[in-house]
Amino acid sequence: MSQTNEALDQLLAEATQWERRSLTQAQVLAQEALRRCQEEDYASGCVYAQRLLAGIALQEGRMDEAAQRLEEGLALARPLGDPAPISACLYTRGWLLYSQGALWEAIASYSEAATLRAGPGLETPRANTFNAMGIVYRELGDYDQSLACYSQARALFRQVKDVFGEGTTLNNLGLLEADWKSYTNALRYYHETLECALACGDLMLQTSAYYNIALAHILLDEPWHSVPFARHARRTARVLGNPSWRINARLLDGMVYCALRRFPRAERSLLWALQETRTLPDNQLELRVLNELGNLYLRWQRPHEARGHLERCLELAGAMQANLQLVTCHEYLVETMELLQDFERALYHHKEFHRMERQRFDSVTEKQRLMLRMSLDIERREREAARQRERNRELEELTRRDSMTGLYNHRAFQEFLRESLAREKPLALLFLDVDHFKDYNDTFGHPAGDEVLQRLARVLCESLHEGDIAARYGGEEFAVILTGASAKRAHACAAQLGQRIRETPFPHRRVTLSVGVALATKGITPDRLIAAADTALYQAKNAGRDRWARAA
């Protein structure tokens, strides 16, 4: 090989390394490599450059460009007789076909690539191919083949001590465990994946691990544990600059907020993700977003919206033979149709769900089949227990809420304040009191007074940041915990609340607030902080009301 060709190979290797960190930089290097390879008439280099540019185009949603570059690459590679560049193009073509939903065609392309990668020194690319085939077989519901592919991939990666490759396989094994409802085992695999990703410094694998850990906590009915991992996934996806991962991160946000029963926030994230999938022709991603929107609206008791998204998901999954999504869609549609009182359609989806579940179980080995059969009863009981926990949570939430305003009550406020102070992070406490409220009540009646309190509660909810806590402390007195707040933000919030109440129309006459502000200091107890805010409130009242004051 000439020195020129060696230099071009180094440039291509550099572009390949950048592919997992910055698609923009990888594309610049790959285009430069293609230009120089064409000038030097270096056919093998042209093949690798076209394959690399096709992979970048695929990740950015330019499917037609990806297909064209792969055809050009294969046309150049086949006459060379070298299996390495041919298999590289076939592998990427399998990825393209999978993204388009042509699952069996993807298997055929990957199988041809695996055959060409059977020689010595090709352990890593062959293992990558087995991993990719395992993903497609899993989507088809063929767990035997999927597990066999992952096992071969992991053995090959261990043979060559490829930490990144082993991490991707562990991640895939975790997904398989999740399909079998073994979420604790899945979580273990995902944490091992994260260790590998951090060891090799691969951002894409880190993003995938964070995403799946967050998802596993949701499935384990621990959504609060998923929040920091979802935040990490969002951050690393942003650094990657990969459109698919940005959509995945927003999809995950939607799932987390849905599990936390913050439905409006979940809806915004999922609708944004759905809109973005329309600009990125990745049918697999669109399927998942549609499925989660259906789940969201189902839990939100909005069955008409749930039906629309789930039926679109069902149509798309059927065309792609994406059996996993089909099973989930039928399961959600059973509950949706029951809510709509369309029991005939509910029965149809119920039958389809169980028919596909039986097919899924029949595709696994005898040992796995036994485990899955045993899990049927357990799963059914778990669902009942989950529903009971949900009802208990709702009842518990009701005991923490003030029935008139919908804000947290005095008991819940005390709990939140203790927990917030225990974190030893910046915190401000605001006490708010409606000026001359007794006179308002006596003059215009208790129903008018109740309306004042309800409108004030709405203003509080609309004015606060995510993570802040608003509570009715007692009577016409309210409390607000500003988490992570500086003195500047606490003062601005107190002033803003007073201004908004002055501008809010109330029946009969204008209403104003007095506000006391206290900042938490290190080691302060809840009682001392409450006393400080209460003292500041009375300073504001003594100074003429309709103002705020800060504790000394």
Side-chain angles (χ1 to χ4, degrees):
M1 182 183 290
S2 68
Q3 289 185 345
T4 301
N5 288 358
E6 286 181 0
L8 290 172
D9 285 344
Q10 288 176 0
L11 181 58
L12 284 164
E14 185 181 355
T16 303
Q17 290 173 353
W18 274 104
E19 186 183 9
R20 300 191 68 82
R21 289 180 286 167
S22 168
L23 293 178
T24 303
Q25 182 63 19
Q27 184 166 345
V28 169
L29 293 172
Q31 287 173 337
E32 174 65 15
L34 179 60
R35 183 186 65 78
R36 289 171 57 182
C37 287
Q38 289 170 337
E39 288 175 356
E40 296 294 330
D41 198 25
Y42 181 27
S44 182
C46 288
V47 173
Y48 283 112
Q50 290 283 29
R51 186 220 65 81
L52 182 55
L53 287 165
I56 294 167
L58 196 162
Q59 292 179 73
E60 292 185 338
R62 303 191 307 276
M63 301 299 190
D64 291 341
E65 179 189 336
Q68 182 181 346
R69 288 191 179 279
L70 287 171
E71 289 306 313
E72 291 175 7
L74 280 167
L76 282 170
R78 292 195 189 278
L80 297 175
D82 183 352
I86 300 171
S87 66
C89 289
L90 288 169
Y91 176 87
T92 306
R93 189 173 70 178
W95 180 15
L96 171 64
L97 290 165
Y98 170 74
S99 297
Q100 293 174 323
L103 303 184
W104 285 112
E105 291 88 340
I107 288 290
S109 192
Y110 283 137
S111 297
E112 189 179 350
T115 302
L116 291 170
R117 290 173 165 181
L122 295 173
E123 289 85 1
T124 294
R126 184 170 171 81
N128 284 329
T129 310
F130 281 131
N131 248 342
M133 289 173 69
I135 291 170
V136 183
Y137 277 124
R138 171 178 167 262
E139 195 66 40
L140 287 164
D142 191 338
Y143 294 106
D144 261 353
Q145 287 290 346
S146 181
L147 186 60
C149 287
Y150 292 152
S151 298
Q152 290 182 74
R154 191 177 187 190
L156 287 166
F157 283 132
R158 283 186 163 184
Q159 182 180 329
V160 294
K161 295 182 172 57
D162 186 331
V163 176
F164 165 75
E166 185 171 0
T168 59
T169 312
L170 289 166
N171 192 58
N172 291 335
L173 285 166
L175 293 171
L176 210 54
E177 289 284 355
D179 289 344
W180 295 334
K181 315 295 185 186
S182 301
Y183 302 127
T184 303
N185 287 341
L187 191 60
R188 177 172 56 81
Y189 277 126
Y190 297 148
H191 277 290
E192 290 179 16
T193 301
L194 183 58
E195 288 177 14
C196 290
L198 294 171
C200 66
D202 189 271
L203 274 179
M204 194 175 292
L205 188 57
Q206 287 177 39
T207 307
S208 181
Y210 287 133
Y211 181 99
N212 287 325
I213 290 170
L215 187 56
H217 280 301
I218 293 172
L219 294 169
L220 285 166
D221 202 21
E222 303 167 347
W224 53 91
H225 288 320
S226 68
V227 173
F229 294 103
R231 192 181 303 119
H232 284 307
R234 191 164 57 247
R235 177 180 56 80
T236 51
R238 191 163 51 245
V239 174
L240 278 172
N242 183 313
S244 294
W245 270 116
R246 284 203 302 273
I247 295 170
N248 269 304
R250 290 297 288 271
L251 168 61
L252 179 61
D253 281 345
M255 295 164 75
V256 171
Y257 288 124
C258 180
L260 291 170
R261 303 189 64 77
R262 297 178 60 180
F263 297 138
R265 184 69 179 269
E267 183 184 36
R268 287 198 297 273
S269 292
L270 291 174
L271 289 177
W272 181 94
L274 182 62
Q275 184 179 357
E276 290 300 305
T277 61
R278 304 282 163 76
T279 65
L280 185 72
D282 184 338
N283 291 333
Q284 294 289 336
L285 195 49
E286 185 180 355
L287 267 182
R288 291 166 56 207
V289 177
L290 286 167
N291 205 6
E292 287 308 320
L293 272 166
N295 179 43
L296 164 68
Y297 288 126
L298 180 59
R299 297 186 65 180
W300 203 353
Q301 299 291 297
R302 290 167 60 177
H304 292 286
E305 290 98 326
R307 179 179 185 174
H309 287 97
L310 289 171
E311 288 184 343
R312 169 60 185 149
C313 182
L314 200 64
E315 177 187 353
L316 194 58
M320 294 167 56
Q321 298 181 13
N323 293 336
L324 278 178
Q325 295 292 355
L326 280 170
V327 169
T328 309
C329 274
H330 283 302
E331 184 178 17
Y332 289 158
L333 279 165
V334 172
E335 297 182 57
T336 302
M337 294 305 173
E338 287 176 348
L339 284 175
L340 292 170
Q341 297 192 331
D342 187 343
F343 299 113
E344 184 178 347
R345 296 296 297 172
L347 180 61
Y348 164 75
H349 290 295
H350 178 78
K351 289 179 177 178
E352 284 298 295
F353 168 70
H354 283 286
R355 180 184 65 79
M356 297 194 73
E357 282 286 82
R358 283 196 299 273
Q359 286 180 350
R360 184 158 70 103
F361 295 155
D362 288 343
S363 72
V364 298
T365 62
E366 189 61 36
K367 182 178 178 181
Q368 292 160 352
R369 187 179 300 121
L370 179 61
M371 291 171 63
L372 287 167
R373 283 175 178 168
M374 290 171 61
S375 73
L376 278 174
D377 284 336
I378 296 171
E379 185 180 338
R380 195 176 301 112
R381 289 172 197 159
E382 285 177 346
R383 284 182 183 169
E384 268 306 313
R387 291 193 188 100
Q388 187 60 47
R389 284 197 298 272
E390 186 71 21
R391 286 193 286 268
N392 290 343
R393 267 201 303 271
E394 290 171 356
L395 290 171
E396 174 65 21
E397 185 68 10
L398 285 174
T399 66
R400 292 157 61 83
R401 294 281 180 176
D402 173 59
S403 59
M404 181 187 298
T405 63
L407 299 179
Y408 286 109
N409 58 25
H410 184 97
R411 180 173 69 87
F413 160 76
Q414 294 284 359
E415 291 173 3
F416 280 122
L417 185 60
R418 283 196 300 273
E419 292 168 4
S420 300
L421 288 174
R423 296 189 192 104
E424 296 187 346
K425 291 185 177 179
L427 180 147
L429 176 61
L430 275 57
F431 265 20
L432 304 84
D433 190 87
V434 181
D435 295 329
H436 303 296
F437 183 74
K438 185 177 184 306
D439 178 63
Y440 192 104
N441 248 350
D442 293 343
T443 304
F444 304 112
H446 289 285
D450 292 347
E451 188 172 352
V452 167
L453 299 179
Q454 289 163 356
R455 290 195 188 186
L456 172 57
R458 284 198 293 272
V459 170
L460 283 178
C461 291
E462 292 166 1
S463 304
L464 299 180
H465 291 186
E466 181 179 345
D468 295 339
I469 301 295
R472 186 181 180 192
Y473 193 76
E476 70 274 23
E477 200 168 68
F478 294 80
V480 172
I481 302 171
L482 301 178
T483 54
S486 62
K488 182 177 179 181
R489 189 194 154 209
H491 299 164
C493 184
Q496 179 194 27
L497 288 172
Q499 181 65 26
R500 287 205 61 180
I501 292 300
R502 282 192 291 274
E503 294 171 353
T504 299
F506 288 92
H508 307 300
R509 76 180 187 207
R510 193 172 74 117
V511 171
T512 61
L513 278 182
S514 296
V515 184
V517 180
L519 299 174
T521 56
K522 188 173 181 180
I524 194 169
T525 63
D527 289 343
R528 285 175 56 199
L529 186 61
I530 289 170
D534 200 46
T535 300
L537 172 62
Y538 281 95
Q539 288 172 1
K541 285 200 171 288
N542 292 335
R545 295 183 169 83
D546 190 17
R547 68 195 65 222
W548 65 272
R550 176 181 168 180

